[in-house]
Amino acid sequence: MLAVLGLLPGLYFRFAAIPLPPLTEMAVSGAAMLSAGFLLSWGVEAAEEHISRGLALAVLALITVLPEYVIDLYYAFQAGRDPSSNYVQYAAANMTGANRLLVGLGWPAIALLYWWRSGKRAVELNRGNAVEVSFLAIGSIYSFVIVLKGQIDWTDFVILFALFGGYLWRLGKMPRGNDDDDDDDEGEEVGPAAALSTLPRSQQFKIIGGLAIAAGAVILLEAEPFAQALIGGAGALGVSEFLLIQWLGPLASETPEIIIMVLFTLSLRPGYALGALISDKINQWTLLVGSLPIIYSLGAGRLLALPLDGRQKEEFFLTAAQSLFAVALLLKLRFGLRSAGILLGLFLGQFVIAVVLQHDEARLITTLTAFAWFYMAAAAGLFFINRRVLVDLARFGVRAPAKISDSASPSD
C-alpha cells in the first residue's frame, strides 16, 4: 500500500503540469521512482520459481535497475542533443556512482547484516555463482579498454552486449532452482513476493505483468523531472551538480533492490541476496555502459562515440579498478567481514574526499586516482595468491562445469 501511495503525488504533479521548486520536485518524483522500483522487484521475485535461479537473478537485477537506466540514458540523450553541455558529465557521473555504490555499500551491507543476524562471519556462495563472478571479471577487465580510449563507442556497444548475451546463455544452462550445496538459501520468499507465489500460476503471471507495466510507465514518466530536479537541486543546496547526480540519483534508484536483498539476508538467504547484487553489477557494467553511445548518437542524430574528459576518465578508471578488486575478493566464492570492511572503508573514504574536494577538481582527480591504483595493486596480489582457484572458477563459470578447487590461500 505504501508503495502505491508513493506513486500518487509524482503522477498528480506530472499530469497536472504544476511546476515545483527543484528540491520539492526531487522529493516527489524520487519517491515515485522509488515506489515503482519496489513494484518491479516484487513481481520479478515472484517469477523466480519458474526459471533457473541464476537466470532469475539476472532478470531481477535487469528489471529492478530500470530506474537507473532511464535516468542515465536521459542524460546521455540530452548530451547528444547538446554536446557542449554538461550532460555528458552527468551521464558518466550517474553511471559510475551507481556502480560504486552497489559494490561499496550494497555488498558490505549483506555481509554485515548476515553476521549480525546469524553470527557467521562470511557469506558463502554456491558454485553456480562462479558464472556471475567470471562474467563480472571479464567485463571489469574489458572496461580498462574504454579508459585507454577515452570514449565509449559502438565497438564497446557490440562487445558489451555480446558479453551480457553470453552471460544469459550460460545462466540458461544452469539447473532450475537452488543449488544443492547452497544450504543458506533454502528459505522461503519474503514480502509481497511470498503472497504472490501462493496464487495460481496463471494469476501470478497476470499480476507480475501488471506490476511491470505500471511500474515501467511511472519510471518513464518521472525520469525527466527527477533528472532535471537533481541539477536544479544542486544549486539550491550549494553543492556540485556532479556530486549530487553521482550519489543521490543512484541511491534513489538502487534502494528498492538493496532493501529487498536486505530482507533476504535477514531471512538467512544471503547467498541469493549477494548473487542478485553481483548480477546487478554485471548488467550495469555491460548493458548500461554499452547503451550510452547508442542513446548519445540518437540525441545527436548521427553516429558518435560518447567522449570522456579527464574527470570522467578518472571516475571510470576508479570504478573499473573497484570492480576488479571486488572480483578478486570473491574468487573463493565467499565474502567475509574483512572483505566487506575493506570495500566499505574505501568507498566511504572516496565519498568523504569527493565531498571535501568537490570544488577542487585537480586535487580530487589526483586523490581518487590514487585509490584506483590501490585497488589495482590489491587485486593483482589476490589474483596471484588465488591463481589456481581463478582458473577453476573460470572453467566452470564460462565453459563447462568443473569443481571449484578448495586449495588456495584465503582472500579474506
Short mmCIF file of all heavy atoms in Angstrom, two decimals, residues 165-198:
data_model
loop_
_atom_site.label_atom_id
_atom_site.label_comp_id
_atom_site.label_asym_id
_atom_site.label_seq_id
_atom_site.Cartn_x
_atom_site.Cartn_y
_atom_site.Cartn_z
N GLY A 165 24.88 -11.12 -23.42
CA GLY A 165 24.19 -12.24 -24.05
C GLY A 165 24.81 -13.57 -23.68
O GLY A 165 24.11 -14.56 -23.42
N GLY A 166 26.16 -13.63 -23.65
CA GLY A 166 26.84 -14.85 -23.24
C GLY A 166 26.54 -15.20 -21.79
O GLY A 166 26.40 -16.37 -21.43
N TYR A 167 26.43 -14.18 -20.97
CA TYR A 167 26.09 -14.37 -19.55
C TYR A 167 24.70 -15.00 -19.42
O TYR A 167 24.52 -15.99 -18.69
CB TYR A 167 26.17 -13.02 -18.85
CG TYR A 167 25.62 -12.96 -17.45
CD1 TYR A 167 26.06 -13.82 -16.46
CD2 TYR A 167 24.64 -12.02 -17.11
CE1 TYR A 167 25.55 -13.76 -15.17
CE2 TYR A 167 24.13 -11.95 -15.83
CZ TYR A 167 24.60 -12.82 -14.86
OH TYR A 167 24.09 -12.75 -13.58
N LEU A 168 23.72 -14.47 -20.14
CA LEU A 168 22.37 -15.04 -20.08
C LEU A 168 22.35 -16.46 -20.63
O LEU A 168 21.65 -17.34 -20.08
CB LEU A 168 21.39 -14.15 -20.86
CG LEU A 168 21.08 -12.78 -20.27
CD1 LEU A 168 20.04 -12.08 -21.13
CD2 LEU A 168 20.58 -12.88 -18.83
N TRP A 169 23.09 -16.70 -21.70
CA TRP A 169 23.14 -18.05 -22.29
C TRP A 169 23.70 -19.04 -21.28
O TRP A 169 23.17 -20.14 -21.11
CB TRP A 169 23.99 -18.03 -23.55
CG TRP A 169 24.20 -19.39 -24.13
CD1 TRP A 169 23.37 -20.08 -24.97
CD2 TRP A 169 25.32 -20.27 -23.88
NE1 TRP A 169 23.89 -21.32 -25.26
CE2 TRP A 169 25.09 -21.46 -24.62
CE3 TRP A 169 26.48 -20.14 -23.12
CZ2 TRP A 169 25.99 -22.51 -24.60
CZ3 TRP A 169 27.37 -21.20 -23.11
CH2 TRP A 169 27.14 -22.36 -23.84
N ARG A 170 24.78 -18.64 -20.62
CA ARG A 170 25.40 -19.54 -19.64
C ARG A 170 24.45 -19.80 -18.46
O ARG A 170 24.36 -20.93 -17.96
CB ARG A 170 26.72 -18.94 -19.13
CG ARG A 170 27.46 -19.81 -18.13
CD ARG A 170 27.93 -21.11 -18.77
NE ARG A 170 28.58 -21.97 -17.77
CZ ARG A 170 27.94 -22.85 -17.00
NH1 ARG A 170 26.61 -22.96 -17.09
NH2 ARG A 170 28.61 -23.60 -16.14
N LEU A 171 23.74 -18.77 -18.02
CA LEU A 171 22.78 -18.95 -16.94
C LEU A 171 21.65 -19.88 -17.34
O LEU A 171 21.13 -20.64 -16.53
CB LEU A 171 22.21 -17.60 -16.50
CG LEU A 171 23.15 -16.65 -15.77
CD1 LEU A 171 22.43 -15.35 -15.46
CD2 LEU A 171 23.66 -17.29 -14.47
N GLY A 172 21.26 -19.81 -18.62
CA GLY A 172 20.19 -20.68 -19.10
C GLY A 172 20.55 -22.15 -19.05
O GLY A 172 19.66 -23.01 -19.07
N LYS A 173 21.83 -22.46 -18.97
CA LYS A 173 22.29 -23.84 -18.88
C LYS A 173 22.33 -24.35 -17.44
O LYS A 173 22.59 -25.53 -17.21
CB LYS A 173 23.70 -23.97 -19.48
CG LYS A 173 23.79 -23.57 -20.94
CD LYS A 173 22.94 -24.48 -21.82
CE LYS A 173 23.07 -24.11 -23.29
NZ LYS A 173 22.25 -25.00 -24.15
N MET A 174 22.09 -23.44 -16.50
CA MET A 174 22.12 -23.84 -15.09
C MET A 174 20.82 -24.55 -14.73
O MET A 174 19.77 -24.29 -15.32
CB MET A 174 22.30 -22.61 -14.19
CG MET A 174 23.58 -21.85 -14.46
SD MET A 174 25.04 -22.77 -13.99
CE MET A 174 24.86 -22.70 -12.21
N PRO A 175 20.85 -25.45 -13.74
CA PRO A 175 19.62 -26.15 -13.31
C PRO A 175 18.64 -25.19 -12.67
O PRO A 175 19.04 -24.18 -12.08
CB PRO A 175 20.12 -27.18 -12.29
CG PRO A 175 21.42 -26.63 -11.80
CD PRO A 175 22.02 -25.90 -12.98
N ARG A 176 17.37 -25.50 -12.78
CA ARG A 176 16.34 -24.67 -12.19
C ARG A 176 16.36 -24.80 -10.68
O ARG A 176 16.61 -25.86 -10.14
CB ARG A 176 14.96 -25.09 -12.71
CG ARG A 176 13.85 -24.12 -12.38
CD ARG A 176 12.54 -24.60 -12.94
NE ARG A 176 11.54 -24.66 -11.90
CZ ARG A 176 10.32 -25.13 -12.09
NH1 ARG A 176 9.96 -25.62 -13.24
NH2 ARG A 176 9.46 -25.14 -11.11
N GLY A 177 16.10 -23.66 -9.98
CA GLY A 177 16.04 -23.70 -8.53
C GLY A 177 17.39 -23.47 -7.89
O GLY A 177 18.33 -23.06 -8.52
N ASN A 178 17.49 -23.79 -6.63
CA ASN A 178 18.70 -23.56 -5.86
C ASN A 178 19.68 -24.70 -6.02
O ASN A 178 19.32 -25.85 -6.22
CB ASN A 178 18.37 -23.42 -4.36
CG ASN A 178 17.54 -22.21 -4.07
OD1 ASN A 178 17.51 -21.27 -4.85
ND2 ASN A 178 16.88 -22.22 -2.94
N ASP A 179 20.93 -24.40 -5.91
CA ASP A 179 21.97 -25.41 -5.89
C ASP A 179 21.85 -26.24 -4.63
O ASP A 179 21.52 -25.77 -3.56
CB ASP A 179 23.35 -24.75 -5.93
CG ASP A 179 24.00 -24.91 -7.28
OD1 ASP A 179 23.32 -24.80 -8.30
OD2 ASP A 179 25.21 -25.14 -7.29
N ASP A 180 22.19 -27.50 -4.77
CA ASP A 180 22.08 -28.38 -3.61
C ASP A 180 23.02 -28.01 -2.49
O ASP A 180 22.75 -28.30 -1.33
CB ASP A 180 22.37 -29.83 -4.04
CG ASP A 180 21.31 -30.34 -4.97
OD1 ASP A 180 20.20 -29.81 -4.93
OD2 ASP A 180 21.58 -31.28 -5.73
N ASP A 181 24.16 -27.41 -2.85
CA ASP A 181 25.14 -27.11 -1.82
C ASP A 181 24.99 -25.72 -1.25
O ASP A 181 25.84 -25.25 -0.53
CB ASP A 181 26.56 -27.31 -2.36
CG ASP A 181 26.85 -26.48 -3.59
OD1 ASP A 181 25.94 -25.79 -4.05
OD2 ASP A 181 28.00 -26.51 -4.08
N ASP A 182 23.91 -25.07 -1.53
CA ASP A 182 23.69 -23.73 -1.01
C ASP A 182 22.77 -23.80 0.18
O ASP A 182 21.59 -23.51 0.14
CB ASP A 182 23.10 -22.83 -2.09
CG ASP A 182 23.08 -21.38 -1.68
OD1 ASP A 182 23.68 -21.04 -0.65
OD2 ASP A 182 22.46 -20.59 -2.39
N ASP A 183 23.28 -24.23 1.31
CA ASP A 183 22.44 -24.51 2.48
C ASP A 183 21.74 -23.29 3.01
O ASP A 183 20.64 -23.37 3.55
CB ASP A 183 23.31 -25.12 3.60
CG ASP A 183 23.88 -26.46 3.18
OD1 ASP A 183 23.25 -27.11 2.36
OD2 ASP A 183 24.95 -26.84 3.71
N ASP A 184 22.37 -22.13 2.90
CA ASP A 184 21.80 -20.94 3.49
C ASP A 184 20.63 -20.40 2.71
O ASP A 184 19.88 -19.57 3.19
CB ASP A 184 22.87 -19.84 3.61
CG ASP A 184 23.84 -20.12 4.75
OD1 ASP A 184 23.41 -20.73 5.74
OD2 ASP A 184 25.01 -19.72 4.63
N ASP A 185 20.48 -20.84 1.47
CA ASP A 185 19.48 -20.22 0.60
C ASP A 185 18.24 -21.08 0.43
O ASP A 185 17.58 -21.06 -0.60
CB ASP A 185 20.10 -19.91 -0.78
CG ASP A 185 20.97 -18.69 -0.73
OD1 ASP A 185 21.09 -18.10 0.35
OD2 ASP A 185 21.54 -18.33 -1.77
N GLU A 186 17.88 -21.84 1.43
CA GLU A 186 16.73 -22.72 1.31
C GLU A 186 15.50 -22.12 1.96
O GLU A 186 14.52 -22.79 2.19
CB GLU A 186 17.06 -24.08 1.95
CG GLU A 186 18.14 -24.84 1.16
CD GLU A 186 18.49 -26.15 1.79
OE1 GLU A 186 17.98 -26.41 2.91
OE2 GLU A 186 19.24 -26.92 1.20
N GLY A 187 15.51 -20.84 2.26
CA GLY A 187 14.37 -20.19 2.89
C GLY A 187 13.26 -19.90 1.92
O GLY A 187 13.36 -20.13 0.72
N GLU A 188 12.20 -19.37 2.46
CA GLU A 188 11.04 -19.03 1.64
C GLU A 188 11.18 -17.62 1.09
O GLU A 188 12.03 -16.85 1.52
CB GLU A 188 9.77 -19.12 2.50
CG GLU A 188 9.52 -20.50 3.09
CD GLU A 188 9.24 -21.54 2.03
OE1 GLU A 188 8.63 -21.18 1.00
OE2 GLU A 188 9.63 -22.70 2.21
N GLU A 189 10.32 -17.31 0.13
CA GLU A 189 10.26 -15.95 -0.36
C GLU A 189 9.85 -15.01 0.77
O GLU A 189 9.25 -15.43 1.76
CB GLU A 189 9.23 -15.85 -1.50
CG GLU A 189 9.59 -16.65 -2.74
CD GLU A 189 10.70 -16.02 -3.53
OE1 GLU A 189 11.08 -14.87 -3.20
OE2 GLU A 189 11.20 -16.65 -4.46
N VAL A 190 10.17 -13.74 0.60
CA VAL A 190 9.83 -12.77 1.64
C VAL A 190 8.97 -11.66 1.03
O VAL A 190 8.98 -11.43 -0.16
CB VAL A 190 11.10 -12.15 2.27
CG1 VAL A 190 11.91 -13.22 2.97
CG2 VAL A 190 11.96 -11.46 1.21
N GLY A 191 8.21 -10.98 1.91
CA GLY A 191 7.44 -9.81 1.49
C GLY A 191 6.30 -10.16 0.55
O GLY A 191 5.80 -11.30 0.51
N PRO A 192 5.85 -9.18 -0.27
CA PRO A 192 4.74 -9.40 -1.19
C PRO A 192 4.97 -10.53 -2.17
O PRO A 192 4.02 -11.17 -2.62
CB PRO A 192 4.62 -8.05 -1.91
CG PRO A 192 5.19 -7.06 -0.94
CD PRO A 192 6.30 -7.77 -0.26
N ALA A 193 6.25 -10.80 -2.51
CA ALA A 193 6.53 -11.90 -3.44
C ALA A 193 6.06 -13.23 -2.86
O ALA A 193 5.65 -14.13 -3.60
CB ALA A 193 8.02 -11.96 -3.76
N ALA A 194 6.13 -13.38 -1.54
CA ALA A 194 5.66 -14.61 -0.90
C ALA A 194 4.16 -14.80 -1.10
O ALA A 194 3.69 -15.90 -1.37
CB ALA A 194 6.01 -14.58 0.58
N ALA A 195 3.41 -13.70 -0.97
CA ALA A 195 1.96 -13.79 -1.18
C ALA A 195 1.63 -14.12 -2.63
O ALA A 195 0.74 -14.92 -2.92
CB ALA A 195 1.30 -12.47 -0.76
N LEU A 196 2.37 -13.52 -3.56
CA LEU A 196 2.13 -13.79 -4.97
C LEU A 196 2.39 -15.25 -5.31
O LEU A 196 1.68 -15.84 -6.13
CB LEU A 196 3.02 -12.89 -5.84
CG LEU A 196 2.58 -11.45 -6.04
CD1 LEU A 196 3.64 -10.68 -6.82
CD2 LEU A 196 1.25 -11.39 -6.78
N SER A 197 3.41 -15.83 -4.69
CA SER A 197 3.78 -17.21 -5.04
C SER A 197 2.73 -18.23 -4.61
O SER A 197 2.78 -19.38 -5.05
CB SER A 197 5.13 -17.55 -4.39
OG SER A 197 5.03 -17.54 -2.98
N THR A 198 1.77 -17.84 -3.77
CA THR A 198 0.73 -18.76 -3.33
C THR A 198 -0.45 -18.80 -4.31
O THR A 198 -1.32 -19.68 -4.19
CB THR A 198 0.20 -18.37 -1.94
OG1 THR A 198 -0.41 -17.08 -2.02
CG2 THR A 198 1.34 -18.32 -0.93
#
